Amino acid sequence: MKATQKLHELGQSIWLDNITRDLLTTGTLKRYIDEMSVTGLTSNPTIFDSALKSGAAYDAAIRDKRRRARSHEELFFDLALEDITRAADLLRATYERTCGVDGFVSLEVSPLLAHDAKATLAQAKELAARAGRPNLLIKIPGTVEGLRAIEEAIFAGVSINVTLLFSPEQYIAAAEAYLRGIERRIAEGLAPSVTSVASLFVSRWDVAVMGKVPDSLINQLGIAVARRTYKAYCDLIATPRYLRAMNAGARPQRLLLASTGTKDPKASDILYVKALAAPQTVNTMPEGTLRAFADHGEVGEPMPADGGDCEAVLGRFENAGIDVDALAVRLQDEGADAFVKSWNDLLAVTASKSAALEKTG
């Protein structure tokens, strides 16, 4: 039995953190679903940017759509929705088999709208409607400005992947925004079964402190933060408030472990996957990490619901001069800025591809 299947049977969903047209047309994504227990997929602007740059897979679609699109952003969403809906259709059987718990794909709203909750909500609703798939999650950053849009989107019945979370505090804020939206639906007599996941970024913690801590602490910070956040997740979904919502038909907003590809070339290529196994969670893996785990992975002991030794490990980082709380804020701010840069790069690539193809007819 492959390690991916063992991880799935433990209760952790495996999602692929990648999408390209070639993954769809070559049957690779279907093979990952059939052979590696993949039950979902996430995307982001950087992934689409790389896909557009990598070859001619999108050229025919760009030629077909460029004149009808009113902007480069609209052209991008036309292209992305083609890929996302095809992936959603491949995962529809998973969605149906799990009664809507799993089988989701994710598409991000424009990060340029990050400070405009009303515009973010409008775009989230528009993208969900255009896709027309029940197993689509719209990604909204869990920044202070994004929390209002997340609550309003959940209240509007739009399934949301809250992205760009780095700490238990940021996770709790996002989870409460989700819960407020659900409670408002219950109060209005609306169905509360709106799906959401909360995405905690892991490996960026270790990149941020590389060279700043003793060797004995290398590649331990991300795992310790994830364990602390998992404890916060387990504690929250057991509260009377959460249980009341679930009793009315709501589902837990699952914790998603993101950025789980190993960045340190000296470390194990399955470091974070092995360390972050946990039931009723999701691990979204880069393609290389997925293949590595399927090939030689090991399913470690599940993360302890009480956080295990996370507080002791985090204490050692504090003693080494790392202000973990301040770093969480910095990582989210830098992540938001990086999202904007990636988005602008993506639109520039879309524009240049469109212009080049127009010249060649």
Side-chain angles (χ1 to χ4, degrees), residues 285-302:
M285 306 178 194
E287 194 172 359
T289 304
L290 171 69
R291 290 198 302 263
F293 193 71
D295 177 65
H296 55 266
E298 300 174 62
V299 177
E301 288 296 316

Side-chain angles (χ1 to χ4, degrees), residues 12 32 37 41 59 100 121 136 191 217 344 348 361:
Q12 184 171 68
Y32 290 159
S37 303
L41 179 146
D59 288 3
L121 174 62
L136 172 70
L217 293 178
N344 287 330

Side-chain angles (χ1 to χ4, degrees), residues 323-342:
D323 186 334
V324 174
D325 292 339
L327 182 54
V329 174
R330 194 190 95 197
L331 286 171
Q332 190 177 63
D333 289 343
E334 290 176 352
D337 291 342
F339 274 11
V340 170
K341 181 182 183 304
S342 293

Side-chain angles (χ1 to χ4, degrees), residues 228-278:
R228 178 188 268 181
T229 307
Y230 180 62
K231 179 184 184 301
Y233 166 66
C234 291
D235 289 347
L236 181 63
I237 63 175
T239 59
R241 180 186 179 193
Y242 220 112
L243 292 172
R244 282 194 299 271
M246 287 194 285
N247 191 58
R251 287 175 171 155
Q253 177 196 50
R254 286 194 295 171
L255 180 65
L256 181 150
L257 291 314
S259 186
T260 57
T262 305
K263 305 299 191 296
D264 181 359
K266 297 177 183 178
S268 165
D269 55 2
I270 60 166
L271 171 70
Y272 298 109
V273 180
K274 181 178 177 180
L276 302 178

Side-chain angles (χ1 to χ4, degrees), residues 33-96:
I33 294 168
D34 294 341
E35 300 177 8
M36 297 186 188
S37 303
V38 168
T39 58
L41 179 146
T42 52
S43 67
N44 61 51
T46 302
I47 287 171
F48 275 113
D49 182 43
S50 298
L52 284 167
K53 286 177 179 175
S54 64
Y58 292 88
D59 288 3
I62 291 172
R63 283 193 177 95
D64 179 56
K65 297 175 183 301
R66 71 180 190 274
R67 291 189 178 91
R68 296 196 297 272
R70 292 169 295 179
S71 66
H72 299 307
E73 181 176 280
E74 185 174 298
L75 175 57
F76 160 69
F77 278 127
D78 285 345
L79 299 171
L81 281 165
E82 283 189 343
D83 286 356
I84 287 292
T85 53
R86 286 181 67 182
D89 291 342
L90 282 173
L91 288 157
R92 185 64 175 266
T94 301
Y95 174 83
E96 299 288 353

Side-chain angles (χ1 to χ4, degrees), residues 88-157:
D89 291 342
L90 282 173
L91 288 157
R92 185 64 175 266
T94 301
Y95 174 83
E96 299 288 353
R97 185 176 65 252
T98 60
C99 299
V101 172
D102 213 340
F104 285 89
V105 299
S106 295
L107 177 64
E108 193 159 347
V109 296
S110 167
L112 303 181
L113 305 178
H115 299 288
D116 189 335
K118 185 176 180 180
T120 297
L121 174 62
Q123 188 171 83
K125 292 167 75 172
E126 177 193 358
L127 291 173
R130 287 178 64 187
R133 303 297 192 278
N135 53 332
L136 172 70
L137 297 170
I138 301 297
K139 293 177 77 173
I140 299 177
T143 57
V144 172
E145 298 88 348
L147 296 178
R148 183 182 164 201
I150 291 161
E151 177 184 341
E152 294 300 329
I154 293 296
F155 177 61

